Amino acid sequence: MACSLHVAWDDGLTAYDFGPEHPLNPVRVELTMALARETGVLDAPGVAFTPVEPASDELLKLIHEPSYIEAVKKAGQTLEPDEAYYLGTPDNPVFPNMHDAAALVSGASVAAARAVWSGAAPHAVNIAGGLHHAMPGHAWGFCVYNDASLAIAWLLEQGAKRVAYVDVDVHHGDGVQAMFYDDPRVMTISLHESPLTLFPGTGRPAETGGPGAEGYSVNVALPAGTDDARWLRAFDAIVPPLLREFQPEVLVTQHGADAHALDPLAHLMLSMDGQRRIGAELHRLAQETAGGRWVVLGGGGYELVQVVPRAWTHLLAEACGAELDPEAATPDAWRRFVRERTDDVPPLYMTDGRTAEFTPFEAGFDPADPVDQAIQATRRAVFPSQGIDPSL
């Protein structure tokens, strides 16, 4: 079914650029938008573009410390590192006009949230967003400002009483968790590679929320090597029961594409087909539990040509009800554009040709299986706080 989707977009969103040698190259966003155009997704019925303005200082102060905002502005002008705020590190190099670029990304996520909260559209997306590591007082993990947290904080300012955030990036959504750890109005759910093997080293099942918010921070720490079937089994065992119980007014999701097997910075083994199914499952849950109100953000993903553009084009297609044929070839015009912009060979097809199926956890628990152990650890840690029996 076709549905209304607002896309928060401005060409300036590609100015969030740490330099050509940095893994978070904005060409991945440029290639995504190009592929979405060439496949007709952005011309689908009900798709509209939402104007974007940079987040003001007052807006950024909903989640970030004033001194940090000033430090970002200064670093973007002087191009000098500021160790106190983790600016100028290998992960977070300073670059010209850094504040302006980061504020525009944050403004785009707030624009997406505004479109959904106002009723202008049931779904809205900022594909350049999802910078989920930034902390209140410092940069962290390629993230200067935390646009995901800002969108949530803005929704709370408008009167939202229950906002759910589901993060499927391979890295733990530590910044978003930290900002709402003590707030029972926000349920954060992160499925990520185990902190034993991947940055940022947090996201254990025992991280369940602060006093008065126990059970509202949910972490599923998956072992390296987890594939489509095991990842989807974990998702199905954790996310739907919690969202059905919580009944959010808005569902905010972060869709880092770095859980794919080709990603150079992580160790999970998902396929394009598995990632495509994740988007479909979250769309279904937005319809079922949040009245269809769905704010969609990008995130990580460092295989810039083979993975990110296809994963996010499928996500955009899912959000607007213009589902793409998984067996379709990538458009010739897009392949030419890829060769013009990069030295890489473009993928020939829109998916990896896999079947993303799984066996539900309820069909039987294998105590020797590390993924089942991770599922059980999370269910035991948070389900009782939500009134759900972890054994069911």
Side-chain angles (χ1 to χ4, degrees), residues 41-316:
V41 169
L42 297 182
D43 295 322
V47 175
F49 285 84
T50 294
V52 174
E53 294 182 356
S56 68
D57 288 6
E58 288 306 308
L59 190 55
L60 289 168
K61 287 174 186 176
L62 289 177
I63 59 167
H64 288 297
E65 297 170 8
S67 61
Y68 173 55
I69 297 170
E70 293 306 312
V72 173
K73 291 180 180 178
K74 181 180 178 182
Q77 297 301 317
T78 66
L79 303 185
E80 295 179 355
D82 192 332
E83 294 181 0
Y85 298 100
Y86 297 7
L87 297 170
T89 66
D91 276 2
N92 305 293
V94 296
F95 61 92
N97 302 311
M98 182 168 57
H99 166 80
D100 298 330
L104 189 64
V105 174
S106 290
S109 290
V110 172
R114 182 182 294 112
V116 170
W117 186 251
S118 69
H123 308 337
V125 59
N126 173 20
I127 210 67
L131 304 178
H132 60 167
H133 293 306
M135 295 293 175
H138 64 82
W140 190 236
F142 309 168
C143 304
V144 176
Y145 295 141
N146 196 317
D147 64 286
S149 291
L150 188 62
I152 294 169
W154 183 88
L155 288 166
L156 298 177
E157 284 286 300
Q158 306 311 303
K161 299 294 190 294
R162 295 180 311 282
V163 179
Y165 171 78
V166 179
D167 188 318
V168 301
D169 195 290
V170 78
H171 302 91
H172 176 227
D174 56 341
V176 183
Q177 174 178 289
M179 293 190 191
F180 300 105
Y181 201 66
D182 299 322
D183 193 337
R185 296 175 298 173
V186 180
M187 175 176 282
T188 63
I189 306 174
S190 178
L191 296 94
H192 48 265
E193 185 177 330
S194 169
L196 298 177
T197 54
L198 193 66
F199 175 91
T202 56
R204 292 170 172 80
E207 298 167 30
T208 61
E214 297 90 344
Y216 289 91
S217 291
V218 182
N219 289 290
V220 189
L222 296 165
T226 298
D227 61 8
D228 288 340
R230 310 304 289 169
W231 196 103
L232 290 165
R233 176 179 170 91
F235 178 95
D236 184 67
I238 302 293
V239 181
L242 288 170
L243 292 184
R244 287 168 185 148
E245 181 64 29
F246 187 57
Q247 289 291 300
E249 293 169 275
V250 181
L251 176 62
V252 180
T253 58
Q254 194 269 21
H255 294 261
D258 40 9
H260 193 278
L262 293 180
D263 194 89
L265 300 189
H267 316 97
L268 297 192
M269 299 298 291
L270 272 66
S271 71
M272 188 62 53
D273 306 85
Q275 292 182 320
R276 180 170 170 266
R277 178 152 185 183
I278 292 167
E281 291 297 321
L282 286 167
H283 189 183
R284 179 181 60 79
L285 286 167
Q287 302 285 18
E288 178 187 345
T289 69
R293 290 177 290 274
W294 188 26
V295 177
V296 181
L297 307 175
Y302 309 99
E303 211 320 313
L304 307 176
V305 173
Q306 302 298 319
V307 174
V308 177
R310 292 189 297 162
W312 288 350
T313 295
H314 281 295
L315 179 63
L316 287 163

